[in-house]
Amino acid sequence: MSRSFLGMPAFPRAAAVSTRDPRLRANLAHATHTIRDKRARAVAELDDWAQLRAAGAAVKDRTLRHLDHYLEQLEESVAAAGGHVHWAADADEANRIVTRLVRETGEREVVKVKSMATQEIGLNEALAEAGIRAYETDLAELIVQLGDDLPSHILVPAIHRNRGEIRDIFRREMGKWGRPAPEGLSDSPAELAEAARLHLREKFLTAKVGISGANFMVAETGTLVVVESEGNGRMCLTLPETLISVVGIEKTVPTWQDLEVFLQLLPRSSTAERMNPYTTTWTGTTDGDGPRAFHLVLLDNGRTDTLADTVGRQALRCIRCSACLNVCPVYERAGGHAYGSPYPGPIGAILTPQLRGMAGPLEESLPYASSLCGACYEVCPVAIDIPEVLVHLRERVVEGGPVTRRGARVVLKPAKGHAAERAAMRAAAWTFDHPGVLRGGMRLAARTRRLHPRRLPGPGRAWSDTRALPTVPAESFRDWWRRTRGDAGGSETGGVK
Amino acid sequence: MRVALFVTCINDTLRPGTGRAVVTLLERLGVDVDFPAEQSCCGQPQFNTGYRHATEPLVRRFDRAFRDYDYVVTPSGSCAAMVRDNYPRIAARAAAEGRGRELTEAAARAVPKTYELTEFLVDVLKVTDVGAYYPHTVTYHPTCHGLRVLGLGDRPRRLLERVRGLTLKELPGAEECCGFGGTFAVKNPAVSTAMGADKVRAVTGTGAEAVCTVDNSCLLHIGGMLARQGSPVRPVHLAEILASTEADTAAGGAAGRAAGAEGDAR
């Protein structure tokens, strides 16, 4: 397994490989169907879910519209509470800031709370280059890290692994990172969890620096919030002397009252729990309690550019619950790695191309990694119309158009390789707008129906390799109507003029 | 009540039997249905692939073709969804790009009168028993756009349940996409095929003789896969079932003819 997301093949190529992996397909189908059903039950318990969802979307939209204001308020509140705020325009700047902050402590090891933002910027790799070892403490992240693997799900990064694989990874790798796995470790969930607990306990008790992300940042008080299930996050947030939190700027909410909405939406959507087991909040520093130094690194990395797109900006409402992954039929078969980013599934298909820009073949293929079935939109707790954004980004791919890159308006050129499709689509649209021509084509197809091949050449093979082609009937509906009813029903004025 | 049939380009060219079934059905229910020949494609293939601008003439054409009618009925959930969900969106984007209000007015006229067939039957004609007879076991796949964009709910099922002779078999995982998705089927063939294979396995597992939907586009994919596997399960549009009567069955079956003699996947 490649350790790097860079240079991955475009989505259809990667997915063609993963769909042929029966173990991956079985692991994913089992896990996603289980969470999907539990989520549906948890959501059905609330009779005001629709209103909660609308409120979540509204709070996020309002905050994003005035994000500059709330970020300044947040910065003031964090500083007033004894924290330090750093602004990072992109991944490199964020990594430089965190590396410098860790170096200033003199430490060479850090413990980490599971965080999408640090995955997004490749922080662990950047720290490793600087000679600093970052230990993941979330159980699934630990499995991914020990397995020299990449996360494949937002909430359950090791969803593609089954218990037997996890046991093998623990037995083989734990000793290289610290306390080895117990002798005779089996694949029972309790034994695996106990092995992880013993291994991690060592890290929690020795680490002087903790690194986290945050689910929410409350502007009015400068409070950060982490929502988790295992309690390992709370250990990292409270035991070390220095805490560094790297958080995307879109995680801001104005007030504590807004949390009321999201602390209902998030656990039910992500883990299908009524309430998440651990909610940790921290505000700057407090004498005699928790870390003595707190740094907040506010991460942009393409977010203000995304905010400039009136259709695409709704992706920034995302609260990383992963409900869309768990219902997505494409994710279920392709697996998370095919999306070439820490953000897989439907949300990844719209977030990655926007955060990175249409940077290459992978980003250009992601908006097409969907059948537009709409299941993702239906379950999204903040009502992100993912199909709408997918189609919008497809337009950017095939037609180009104005976008914002690093704060400047630029006109994107159409992606290479769509010339033939563009010509075909325009020709089809033209033909459909000239029914006289369309009728001629249909009659020609009907007359030659016995000559049509059973398998198509070129791009058509993608259809006919696995699906029989429809036969062209002897008479179109249009011709049947004219033959049996005459032209009384409507005149045909749309021929070639 | 002036009612027009929007047959859709796929039905017109590949499954004309579905259009004929809608005409038969509506006339049997006393509706005088017209077919304005000026109509063509709703523009969905272009729009969903990213060619929004190419769909604008088709929005105008839809409006021209159907302007004089009170209702536009279509045997396609996805094409009805295209009109209702995306025409206003196309119009709003065009207005934002400074191309006037012509499309906005076209969309405003098209949206409220466009009905998918089962909506028209249940909501406008207020019938669920359409006098059909179809002595077969059938499983129903609710297509994504019918299910999620139009919100058809139990309308198709209520109609099927009143068809005499018909035995409805529950389809496991019914609400999961079949994997067609328009150009998705050729742009992501591996995933599309994997999704289709699971859908086909669920369909054949029911033991039904036929699988029916309100969308022939999905049926081309599901039926194409069934045919390639040599499965005897027939893909049938819901309209063809609703149009069938005992007289047809005695004469060899209109629905049988529609599904077998033409437009069928081979």
Side-chain angles (χ1 to χ4, degrees), chain A residues 11 33 36 311 333 368 370-371 373 378 385 388 391-392 394-395 398-399 421-422 432-433 442 455 464 466-468 471 473 475-478 480 485 489 493, chain B residues 12-13 16 19-20 23 27 34 37-41 48-53 61 89 93 144 148 176-177 184-185 187-188 192-193 198 221 224 228 264 266:
Chain A
F11 184 84
H33 282 256
R36 177 187 310 188
V311 178
R333 278 133 189 123
Y368 293 95
S370 167
S371 64
C373 81
E378 192 175 58
D385 191 340
E388 180 189 29
V391 170
H392 173 68
R394 289 175 185 188
E395 185 184 321
V398 298
E399 296 198 329
E421 177 191 276
R422 191 177 308 118
F432 283 126
D433 200 25
M442 279 155 59
R455 286 181 196 264
S464 63
T466 56
R467 292 155 286 210
T471 48
E475 185 181 50
S476 68
F477 178 84
R478 202 169 280 269
W480 171 80
R485 313 287 172 119
T493 56
Chain B
D12 192 3
T13 55
R20 295 199 300 269
V23 173
E27 287 180 348
D34 203 355
E38 199 178 348
Q39 66 179 277
S40 71
C41 173
N48 281 352
T49 315
Y51 300 92
R52 171 172 56 89
H53 292 100
R61 168 167 293 280
R89 201 170 265 162
R93 298 286 287 171
C144 298
R148 300 199 182 87
E176 277 182 41
C177 177
F184 174 76
K187 282 183 177 286
N188 278 285
S192 169
T193 297
D198 288 344
H221 169 70
R228 185 49 57 83
D264 198 6
R266 59 187 174 191

Coordinates of all heavy atoms in Angstrom, one line a residue, chain A residues 11 33 36 311 333 368 370-371 373 378 385 388 391-392 394-395 398-399 421-422 432-433 442 455 464 466-468 471 473 475-478 480 485 489 493, chain B residues 12-13 16 19-20 23 27 34 37-41 48-53 61 89 93 144 148 176-177 184-185 187-188 192-193 198 221 224 228 264 266:
Chain A
F11 N -9.8 8.3 -10.2 CA -10.7 7.5 -9.4 C -11.2 6.2 -10.2 O -11.1 5.1 -9.6 CB -12.0 8.3 -9.1 CG -13.0 7.6 -8.3 CD1 -12.8 7.5 -6.9 CD2 -14.0 6.9 -8.9 CE1 -13.7 6.8 -6.1 CE2 -14.9 6.2 -8.1 CZ -14.8 6.1 -6.7
H33 N -23.2 -1.1 6.1 CA -24.6 -1.5 6.3 C -25.0 -1.5 7.8 O -26.1 -1.1 8.1 CB -25.0 -2.8 5.6 CG -25.1 -2.7 4.2 ND1 -26.3 -2.7 3.5 CD2 -24.2 -2.5 3.2 CE1 -26.2 -2.6 2.2 NE2 -24.9 -2.5 2.0
R36 N -25.2 2.2 8.8 CA -26.3 2.8 8.1 C -27.7 2.5 8.8 O -28.5 3.4 9.1 CB -26.3 2.2 6.7 CG -27.4 2.7 5.8 CD -27.3 1.9 4.5 NE -26.0 1.8 3.9 CZ -25.8 1.3 2.6 NH1 -26.8 0.8 2.0 NH2 -24.6 1.3 2.1
V311 N -22.0 28.1 -5.2 CA -22.7 26.8 -5.2 C -21.8 25.8 -4.3 O -22.4 25.1 -3.5 CB -22.8 26.2 -6.6 CG1 -23.4 24.7 -6.5 CG2 -23.7 27.0 -7.5
R333 N -18.3 0.2 -2.7 CA -17.7 -0.7 -3.7 C -16.2 -0.3 -4.0 O -15.4 -1.1 -4.2 CB -18.5 -0.9 -4.9 CG -19.6 -1.9 -4.7 CD -20.9 -1.4 -5.3 NE -22.0 -2.2 -4.9 CZ -23.0 -1.8 -4.2 NH1 -23.1 -0.6 -3.8 NH2 -24.0 -2.7 -3.9
Y368 N -17.0 13.0 -10.9 CA -17.8 12.0 -11.6 C -17.9 10.7 -10.8 O -18.5 9.7 -11.3 CB -17.1 11.7 -13.0 CG -17.2 12.9 -13.9 CD1 -16.1 13.8 -13.9 CD2 -18.3 13.1 -14.6 CE1 -16.2 15.0 -14.8 CE2 -18.4 14.2 -15.5 CZ -17.4 15.2 -15.5 OH -17.5 16.3 -16.3
S370 N -19.8 9.4 -8.8 CA -21.1 9.3 -8.2 C -22.1 9.1 -9.3 O -22.0 9.6 -10.4 CB -21.5 10.7 -7.5 OG -22.8 10.7 -7.2
S371 N -23.2 8.3 -8.9 CA -24.3 8.0 -9.8 C -25.4 9.1 -9.6 O -26.4 9.0 -10.2 CB -24.8 6.6 -9.6 OG -25.4 6.5 -8.3
C373 N -27.2 9.4 -7.0 CA -28.4 8.8 -6.5 C -29.1 9.6 -5.4 O -30.3 9.4 -5.1 CB -28.2 7.4 -6.1 SG -27.4 7.2 -4.4
E378 N -29.7 13.0 1.3 CA -30.8 12.6 2.2 C -30.3 12.5 3.6 O -31.0 12.9 4.5 CB -31.4 11.3 1.7 CG -32.7 10.9 2.3 CD -33.3 9.7 1.6 OE1 -32.6 8.6 1.6 OE2 -34.4 9.8 1.1
D385 N -26.2 19.7 -0.4 CA -26.8 19.1 -1.6 C -25.6 18.6 -2.4 O -25.1 19.3 -3.4 CB -27.6 20.1 -2.4 CG -28.4 19.5 -3.5 OD1 -28.0 18.4 -3.9 OD2 -29.4 20.1 -3.9
E388 N -25.9 18.4 -6.2 CA -25.8 19.7 -6.9 C -24.4 20.2 -7.0 O -24.0 20.7 -8.1 CB -26.6 20.7 -6.1 CG -26.6 22.1 -6.7 CD -27.2 23.2 -5.8 OE1 -27.1 23.1 -4.5 OE2 -27.7 24.2 -6.4
V391 N -22.4 18.1 -9.8 CA -22.7 18.6 -11.2 C -22.1 19.9 -11.5 O -21.5 20.1 -12.5 CB -24.3 18.6 -11.4 CG1 -24.6 19.3 -12.7 CG2 -24.9 17.2 -11.4
H392 N -22.1 20.8 -10.5 CA -21.5 22.1 -10.6 C -20.0 21.9 -10.9 O -19.4 22.6 -11.7 CB -21.7 22.9 -9.3 CG -21.0 24.2 -9.2 ND1 -21.2 25.3 -10.0 CD2 -19.9 24.6 -8.4 CE1 -20.4 26.3 -9.7 NE2 -19.6 25.9 -8.8
R394 N -18.5 19.3 -12.1 CA -18.4 18.7 -13.5 C -18.3 19.7 -14.5 O -17.6 19.6 -15.5 CB -19.6 17.7 -13.7 CG -19.5 16.4 -12.9 CD -20.7 15.6 -13.1 NE -20.6 14.4 -12.1 CZ -21.5 13.4 -12.1 NH1 -22.4 13.3 -13.0 NH2 -21.3 12.4 -11.3
E395 N -19.2 20.8 -14.3 CA -19.1 21.9 -15.3 C -17.8 22.6 -15.3 O -17.3 22.9 -16.3 CB -20.3 22.9 -14.9 CG -20.4 24.0 -15.9 CD -21.4 25.0 -15.5 OE1 -22.5 24.6 -14.9 OE2 -21.2 26.2 -15.7
V398 N -15.4 20.3 -17.4 CA -15.6 20.2 -18.9 C -15.6 21.5 -19.5 O -15.3 21.6 -20.7 CB -16.8 19.3 -19.3 CG1 -16.7 17.9 -18.8 CG2 -18.1 20.0 -18.8
E399 N -16.1 22.6 -18.8 CA -16.2 23.9 -19.5 C -15.3 24.9 -18.9 O -15.2 26.0 -19.4 CB -17.7 24.4 -19.4 CG -18.6 23.4 -20.2 CD -19.9 24.1 -20.5 OE1 -20.4 25.0 -19.7 OE2 -20.5 23.7 -21.5
E421 N -15.9 14.2 -25.9 CA -17.2 14.2 -25.2 C -17.9 15.5 -25.3 O -19.1 15.5 -25.6 CB -16.9 13.9 -23.7 CG -18.1 13.9 -22.9 CD -17.8 14.0 -21.4 OE1 -17.5 12.9 -20.8 OE2 -17.7 15.0 -20.8
R422 N -17.2 16.6 -25.3 CA -17.8 17.9 -25.4 C -18.5 18.0 -26.7 O -19.6 18.5 -26.9 CB -16.8 19.0 -25.2 CG -17.4 20.4 -25.0 CD -16.3 21.5 -24.8 NE -15.4 21.1 -23.7 CZ -14.1 20.9 -23.8 NH1 -13.5 21.0 -25.0 NH2 -13.4 20.5 -22.8
F432 N -31.1 17.1 -30.5 CA -32.4 17.1 -29.7 C -33.2 18.4 -29.9 O -34.4 18.4 -29.7 CB -32.1 16.8 -28.3 CG -31.8 15.4 -27.9 CD1 -30.7 15.1 -27.3 CD2 -32.7 14.4 -28.3 CE1 -30.4 13.7 -27.0 CE2 -32.4 13.1 -28.0 CZ -31.2 12.7 -27.4
D433 N -32.5 19.4 -30.3 CA -33.1 20.7 -30.5 C -33.6 20.8 -32.0 O -34.2 21.8 -32.4 CB -32.2 21.9 -30.1 CG -33.0 23.2 -29.9 OD1 -34.2 23.0 -29.5 OD2 -32.5 24.3 -30.0
M442 N -33.1 8.5 -36.1 CA -33.8 7.4 -35.5 C -34.3 6.4 -36.6 O -34.2 5.2 -36.4 CB -35.0 7.9 -34.7 CG -34.6 8.4 -33.3 SD -35.8 9.6 -32.6 CE -37.3 8.7 -32.5
R455 N -21.3 -5.8 -29.3 CA -20.4 -5.1 -28.4 C -19.8 -3.9 -29.1 O -19.6 -3.9 -30.3 CB -19.2 -6.1 -28.0 CG -19.7 -7.2 -27.1 CD -18.5 -8.1 -26.7 NE -19.1 -9.3 -26.1 CZ -19.2 -9.5 -24.8 NH1 -18.7 -8.6 -23.9 NH2 -19.7 -10.6 -24.3
S464 N -20.8 -2.1 -23.0 CA -21.2 -3.4 -23.5 C -20.4 -4.6 -23.0 O -20.7 -5.7 -23.3 CB -21.2 -3.4 -25.1 OG -19.8 -3.1 -25.5
T466 N -20.3 -5.5 -19.9 CA -21.0 -6.2 -18.9 C -22.5 -6.2 -19.1 O -23.2 -6.8 -18.3 CB -20.7 -5.6 -17.5 OG1 -21.0 -4.2 -17.6 CG2 -19.2 -5.8 -17.1
R467 N -23.0 -5.3 -20.0 CA -24.4 -5.2 -20.2 C -24.8 -5.3 -21.7 O -24.1 -4.8 -22.5 CB -24.8 -3.8 -19.7 CG -24.7 -3.6 -18.2 CD -24.5 -2.2 -17.8 NE -23.2 -1.7 -18.2 CZ -22.6 -0.7 -17.5 NH1 -23.1 -0.1 -16.5 NH2 -21.4 -0.3 -17.8
A468 N -25.9 -6.1 -21.9 CA -26.3 -6.2 -23.3 C -26.8 -4.8 -23.8 O -27.3 -4.0 -23.0 CB -27.4 -7.2 -23.4
T471 N -31.8 -3.2 -28.1 CA -32.0 -3.3 -29.6 C -32.8 -2.0 -30.0 O -33.6 -1.5 -29.2 CB -32.8 -4.5 -30.0 OG1 -33.9 -4.6 -29.1 CG2 -32.0 -5.8 -29.9
P473 N -35.8 -0.4 -31.8 CA -37.0 -0.9 -32.3 C -37.3 -0.5 -33.7 O -36.6 0.4 -34.2 CB -38.1 -0.3 -31.4 CG -37.4 0.9 -30.9 CD -35.9 0.6 -30.8
E475 N -39.8 0.8 -35.0 CA -40.5 2.1 -35.2 C -40.4 2.9 -33.9 O -40.7 2.4 -32.8 CB -42.0 1.8 -35.5 CG -42.8 3.0 -35.9 CD -44.3 2.7 -36.2 OE1 -44.9 1.9 -35.4 OE2 -44.8 3.1 -37.2
S476 N -40.0 4.1 -34.0 CA -39.9 5.0 -32.8 C -41.4 5.3 -32.4 O -42.3 5.2 -33.1 CB -39.2 6.3 -33.1 OG -39.9 7.1 -34.0
F477 N -41.4 5.8 -31.1 CA -42.8 6.3 -30.7 C -43.3 7.3 -31.5 O -44.5 7.3 -31.9 CB -42.7 6.8 -29.2 CG -44.0 7.3 -28.7 CD1 -45.0 6.4 -28.2 CD2 -44.4 8.6 -28.8 CE1 -46.2 6.8 -27.8 CE2 -45.6 9.0 -28.4 CZ -46.5 8.1 -27.9
R478 N -42.5 8.3 -31.9 CA -42.8 9.4 -32.7 C -43.4 9.0 -34.0 O -44.5 9.5 -34.5 CB -41.5 10.1 -33.0 CG -41.5 11.6 -33.4 CD -40.0 12.0 -33.3 NE -39.6 12.3 -32.0 CZ -39.7 13.6 -31.4 NH1 -40.3 14.5 -32.1 NH2 -39.4 13.8 -30.2
W480 N -44.7 6.0 -34.7 CA -46.0 5.3 -34.4 C -47.1 6.3 -34.2 O -48.2 6.1 -34.7 CB -45.8 4.4 -33.1 CG -47.1 3.8 -32.6 CD1 -47.7 2.7 -33.1 CD2 -48.0 4.4 -31.6 NE1 -48.9 2.5 -32.4 CE2 -49.1 3.5 -31.5 CE3 -47.9 5.5 -30.7 CZ2 -50.1 3.7 -30.6 CZ3 -48.9 5.7 -29.8 CH2 -50.0 4.8 -29.8
R485 N -52.0 8.3 -35.5 CA -52.8 9.5 -35.1 C -52.7 10.6 -36.1 O -53.4 11.6 -35.9 CB -52.4 10.0 -33.7 CG -52.2 8.9 -32.7 CD -53.6 8.4 -32.3 NE -53.5 7.2 -31.4 CZ -53.9 7.2 -30.1 NH1 -54.5 8.3 -29.6 NH2 -53.8 6.1 -29.4
G489 N -52.0 16.0 -33.5 CA -51.7 16.3 -32.1 C -50.7 17.4 -31.9 O -50.6 18.0 -30.8
T493 N -42.2 21.9 -35.5 CA -41.6 23.1 -36.0 C -40.1 23.2 -35.7 O -39.5 24.2 -35.9 CB -42.3 24.4 -35.5 OG1 -42.2 24.3 -34.0 CG2 -43.7 24.5 -35.9
Chain B
D12 N -38.7 7.2 -26.6 CA -39.0 7.5 -28.0 C -38.2 6.6 -28.9 O -38.7 5.9 -29.8 CB -38.7 9.0 -28.3 CG -39.3 9.4 -29.7 OD1 -39.9 8.6 -30.3 OD2 -39.1 10.6 -30.1
T13 N -36.9 6.5 -28.7 CA -36.0 5.8 -29.6 C -35.8 4.3 -29.2 O -35.7 3.5 -30.1 CB -34.5 6.5 -29.6 OG1 -34.1 6.5 -28.2 CG2 -34.6 7.9 -30.1
P16 N -40.3 2.4 -27.3 CA -41.6 3.1 -27.7 C -42.8 2.4 -27.1 O -43.8 3.1 -26.9 CB -41.6 3.0 -29.2 CG -40.6 1.9 -29.6 CD -39.6 1.9 -28.5
G19 N -44.3 4.3 -24.2 CA -45.1 5.5 -24.6 C -46.5 5.0 -25.1 O -47.5 5.6 -24.7
R20 N -46.5 4.0 -25.9 CA -47.8 3.5 -26.3 C -48.6 3.0 -25.2 O -49.9 3.2 -25.1 CB -47.6 2.3 -27.3 CG -46.9 2.7 -28.6 CD -47.1 1.7 -29.7 NE -46.6 0.4 -29.4 CZ -45.4 0.0 -29.7 NH1 -44.5 0.8 -30.3 NH2 -45.0 -1.2 -29.4
V23 N -50.3 6.0 -23.5 CA -51.4 6.4 -24.3 C -52.6 5.5 -24.0 O -53.7 6.0 -23.7 CB -51.0 6.5 -25.8 CG1 -52.3 6.8 -26.6 CG2 -49.9 7.5 -26.0
E27 N -56.0 6.9 -22.1 CA -57.2 6.9 -22.9 C -58.3 6.0 -22.2 O -59.4 6.3 -22.2 CB -56.9 6.5 -24.3 CG -56.2 7.6 -25.1 CD -55.9 7.3 -26.5 OE1 -56.0 6.2 -27.0 OE2 -55.5 8.3 -27.2
D34 N -52.3 14.1 -25.7 CA -51.8 14.6 -27.0 C -50.3 14.4 -27.0 O -49.6 14.2 -25.9 CB -52.1 16.1 -27.1 CG -52.0 16.6 -28.5 OD1 -51.7 15.8 -29.4 OD2 -52.4 17.7 -28.7
A37 N -45.2 17.1 -31.1 CA -44.0 16.5 -31.8 C -42.8 17.4 -31.6 O -41.7 16.9 -31.9 CB -44.3 16.3 -33.3
E38 N -43.0 18.6 -31.2 CA -41.9 19.5 -31.1 C -40.9 19.1 -29.9 O -39.8 19.6 -29.8 CB -42.4 20.9 -30.8 CG -41.4 22.0 -31.1 CD -41.9 23.4 -31.0 OE1 -43.2 23.6 -30.8 OE2 -41.1 24.3 -30.9
Q39 N -41.4 18.3 -29.0 CA -40.7 17.9 -27.8 C -39.4 17.0 -28.2 O -39.4 16.4 -29.3 CB -41.5 17.0 -26.9 CG -42.0 15.7 -27.5 CD -42.8 14.9 -26.5 OE1 -42.3 14.2 -25.7 NE2 -44.1 15.0 -26.6
S40 N -38.4 17.0 -27.3 CA -37.3 16.1 -27.5 C -36.8 15.7 -26.2 O -37.5 15.2 -25.3 CB -36.2 16.7 -28.4 OG -35.6 17.7 -27.8
C41 N -35.5 15.9 -25.9 CA -34.8 15.4 -24.7 C -35.0 16.5 -23.6 O -34.9 17.7 -23.9 CB -33.4 15.1 -25.0 SG -32.4 14.7 -23.6
N48 N -26.2 16.7 -16.4 CA -25.5 15.9 -15.3 C -24.1 15.6 -15.6 O -23.3 15.2 -14.8 CB -26.3 14.6 -15.1 CG -27.5 14.8 -14.2 OD1 -27.7 15.9 -13.7 ND2 -28.3 13.8 -14.1
T49 N -23.7 15.8 -16.9 CA -22.2 15.5 -17.2 C -21.5 16.8 -17.1 O -20.2 16.8 -17.2 CB -22.1 14.9 -18.6 OG1 -23.1 13.9 -18.7 CG2 -20.8 14.3 -18.9
G50 N -22.2 18.0 -16.9 CA -21.4 19.2 -16.8 C -21.6 20.2 -17.9 O -21.0 21.3 -17.9
Y51 N -22.5 19.9 -18.9 CA -22.7 20.8 -20.0 C -24.0 21.6 -19.8 O -25.0 21.4 -20.6 CB -22.7 20.0 -21.3 CG -21.4 19.3 -21.5 CD1 -21.2 18.0 -21.1 CD2 -20.3 19.9 -22.1 CE1 -20.0 17.3 -21.3 CE2 -19.1 19.3 -22.3 CZ -18.9 18.0 -21.9 OH -17.7 17.3 -22.0
R52 N -24.0 22.4 -18.8 CA -25.3 23.1 -18.4 C -25.7 24.0 -19.5 O -26.9 24.1 -19.9 CB -25.0 23.9 -17.1 CG -26.1 24.9 -16.8 CD -25.9 25.5 -15.4 NE -24.6 26.2 -15.3 CZ -24.4 27.5 -15.6 NH1 -25.4 28.2 -16.1 NH2 -23.2 28.0 -15.5
H53 N -24.7 24.7 -20.2 CA -25.1 25.7 -21.2 C -25.8 25.0 -22.4 O -26.7 25.5 -23.0 CB -23.9 26.4 -21.7 CG -23.4 27.4 -20.6 ND1 -22.3 27.0 -19.8 CD2 -23.8 28.5 -20.2 CE1 -22.0 28.0 -19.0 NE2 -23.0 28.9 -19.1
R61 N -37.1 24.7 -25.5 CA -37.9 23.8 -26.4 C -39.0 23.1 -25.6 O -40.1 23.0 -26.1 CB -37.0 22.7 -27.0 CG -37.7 21.6 -27.7 CD -36.8 20.7 -28.6 NE -36.3 21.5 -29.7 CZ -37.0 21.7 -30.8 NH1 -38.2 21.2 -30.9 NH2 -36.6 22.5 -31.7
R89 N -33.0 25.7 -11.6 CA -31.5 25.9 -11.3 C -30.8 26.4 -12.5 O -30.0 27.4 -12.4 CB -31.0 24.5 -10.9 CG -29.7 24.5 -10.1 CD -29.4 23.1 -9.6 NE -29.9 22.9 -8.3 CZ -30.1 21.7 -7.7 NH1 -29.9 20.6 -8.4 NH2 -30.5 21.6 -6.5
R93 N -29.1 30.2 -12.8 CA -27.7 30.3 -13.2 C -27.6 31.2 -14.4 O -26.7 32.1 -14.5 CB -27.0 29.0 -13.4 CG -27.0 28.1 -12.2 CD -26.0 28.5 -11.2 NE -24.6 28.2 -11.6 CZ -23.6 28.6 -10.9 NH1 -23.7 29.3 -9.8 NH2 -22.3 28.4 -11.3
C144 N -33.8 6.1 -8.1 CA -33.3 7.1 -7.2 C -34.0 8.5 -7.3 O -34.4 9.1 -6.4 CB -31.8 7.3 -7.4 SG -30.9 5.8 -7.0
R148 N -36.0 9.9 -4.4 CA -35.5 11.0 -3.6 C -35.7 12.4 -4.1 O -35.9 13.3 -3.3 CB -34.0 10.8 -3.4 CG -33.6 9.4 -2.8 CD -32.3 9.4 -2.2 NE -32.1 8.0 -1.6 CZ -31.6 7.0 -2.3 NH1 -31.3 7.1 -3.6 NH2 -31.5 5.8 -1.8
E176 N -31.4 1.1 -2.8 CA -30.1 1.3 -3.3 C -30.0 1.5 -4.8 O -30.7 0.9 -5.5 CB -29.2 0.2 -2.9 CG -28.7 0.3 -1.5 CD -27.8 -0.9 -1.1 OE1 -26.9 -1.3 -1.9 OE2 -27.9 -1.4 0.0
C177 N -29.2 2.5 -5.2 CA -29.0 2.8 -6.6 C -28.6 1.5 -7.4 O -27.8 0.7 -6.9 CB -28.0 3.9 -6.8 SG -27.6 4.3 -8.4
F184 N -22.4 8.0 -15.8 CA -21.6 7.3 -14.8 C -21.4 5.9 -15.2 O -20.3 5.3 -14.9 CB -22.5 7.3 -13.5 CG -21.9 6.5 -12.4 CD1 -20.8 6.9 -11.6 CD2 -22.4 5.2 -12.0 CE1 -20.2 6.2 -10.6 CE2 -21.9 4.5 -11.0 CZ -20.8 4.9 -10.3
A185 N -22.4 5.3 -15.9 CA -22.2 3.9 -16.4 C -21.0 3.6 -17.3 O -20.5 2.5 -17.3 CB -23.5 3.4 -17.1
K187 N -18.4 6.2 -17.4 CA -17.2 6.9 -16.9 C -16.6 6.1 -15.7 O -15.5 6.2 -15.4 CB -17.6 8.3 -16.4 CG -17.7 9.3 -17.5 CD -18.0 10.7 -17.0 CE -18.1 11.7 -18.1 NZ -16.8 12.1 -18.6
N188 N -17.5 5.4 -15.0 CA -17.0 4.5 -13.9 C -17.5 3.1 -14.1 O -18.3 2.6 -13.2 CB -17.4 5.1 -12.6 CG -16.5 6.2 -12.1 OD1 -15.4 6.0 -11.6 ND2 -17.0 7.5 -12.2
S192 N -20.1 0.9 -11.5 CA -21.4 0.8 -12.1 C -21.8 -0.6 -12.2 O -22.9 -1.1 -11.8 CB -21.5 1.5 -13.4 OG -22.7 1.2 -14.1
T193 N -20.9 -1.4 -12.7 CA -21.1 -2.9 -12.9 C -21.3 -3.6 -11.6 O -22.1 -4.4 -11.4 CB -20.0 -3.5 -13.8 OG1 -20.0 -2.9 -15.1 CG2 -20.2 -5.0 -13.9
D198 N -25.0 -6.4 -7.9 CA -25.7 -6.6 -6.6 C -27.2 -6.4 -6.8 O -28.0 -7.1 -6.2 CB -25.1 -5.6 -5.6 CG -23.7 -5.9 -5.1 OD1 -23.3 -7.1 -5.4 OD2 -23.0 -5.1 -4.5
H221 N -30.1 -0.6 -18.0 CA -28.9 -1.1 -17.3 C -29.1 -2.4 -16.6 O -28.4 -3.4 -16.8 CB -28.5 0.0 -16.3 CG -27.4 -0.4 -15.2 ND1 -26.1 -0.6 -15.6 CD2 -27.5 -0.5 -13.9 CE1 -25.4 -0.9 -14.4 NE2 -26.3 -0.9 -13.4
G224 N -30.0 -4.9 -19.3 CA -28.9 -5.3 -20.0 C -28.0 -6.3 -19.3 O -27.3 -7.2 -19.9
R228 N -27.3 -10.2 -20.3 CA -26.0 -10.7 -20.5 C -25.7 -11.9 -19.7 O -24.9 -12.8 -20.1 CB -25.0 -9.5 -20.2 CG -23.5 -9.7 -20.4 CD -23.1 -10.3 -21.8 NE -23.5 -9.6 -22.9 CZ -22.8 -8.5 -23.5 NH1 -21.8 -8.0 -22.9 NH2 -23.2 -8.0 -24.6
D264 N -36.5 -4.5 -26.4 CA -36.0 -5.3 -25.3 C -34.5 -5.4 -25.4 O -33.9 -5.3 -26.5 CB -36.6 -6.7 -25.4 CG -36.4 -7.5 -24.2 OD1 -36.0 -7.0 -23.2 OD2 -36.7 -8.7 -24.2
R266 N -31.2 -7.5 -25.6 CA -31.0 -8.9 -26.1 C -29.9 -9.6 -25.4 O -29.0 -8.9 -24.8 CB -30.8 -8.9 -27.6 CG -29.6 -8.1 -28.0 CD -29.6 -8.0 -29.5 NE -28.5 -7.1 -29.9 CZ -28.3 -6.6 -31.1 NH1 -29.1 -6.9 -32.0 NH2 -27.3 -5.8 -31.3

